[in-house]
Amino acid sequence: MIANIGPADYNSDETMSTLRYASRAKHIQNRPRINEDPKDAMIREFHDEITRLREQLAKLSGGKLNGMSTGLDGQPIVDVQVVEKFIYIEDKDRMKKMEE
């Protein structure tokens, strides 16, 4: 920030006001934080939870997923409608908690 002042006598009130303002502005401290949409945060949490649950499932089943087929990446092939229904129910419950 740049504060401009004038040396003339008739600007003394304006100069003092500018200097007081500049002094106060000098002490302003910002604490930046990331603005995140609650829905984006929730989606990120869901992805993290899905990853964590897949790892737990793989550990518990000894690497085999109880007869479930796996894709080329080793991830289980699941019924998308079942997963979407589960996510919808979880999302609905979390939204209800957020509203309360």
Side-chain angles (χ1 to χ4, degrees), residues 1-3 7 16 20-22 28 31 38 55 59 65-67 69 77 84 86-87 89-91 96 100:
M1 182 178 124
I2 297 174
M16 291 305 296
R20 277 190 223 104
Y21 173 76
I28 294 173
R31 293 185 184 94
E55 289 171 0
K59 285 179 185 177
L65 297 173
N66 300 331
S69 300
I77 298 173
E84 286 177 347
F86 175 75
I87 290 173
I89 292 169
E90 289 289 320
D91 185 34
K96 214 182 269 186
E100 292 172 356

Side-chain angles (χ1 to χ4, degrees), residues 51-81:
T51 303
R52 182 180 52 79
L53 291 173
R54 282 183 176 165
E55 289 171 0
Q56 285 181 358
L57 182 61
K59 285 179 185 177
L60 291 174
S61 63
K64 296 181 181 178
L65 297 173
N66 300 331
M68 291 179 69
S69 300
T70 58
L72 295 174
D73 60 355
Q75 298 295 332
I77 298 173
V78 296
D79 185 1
V80 175
Q81 291 176 340

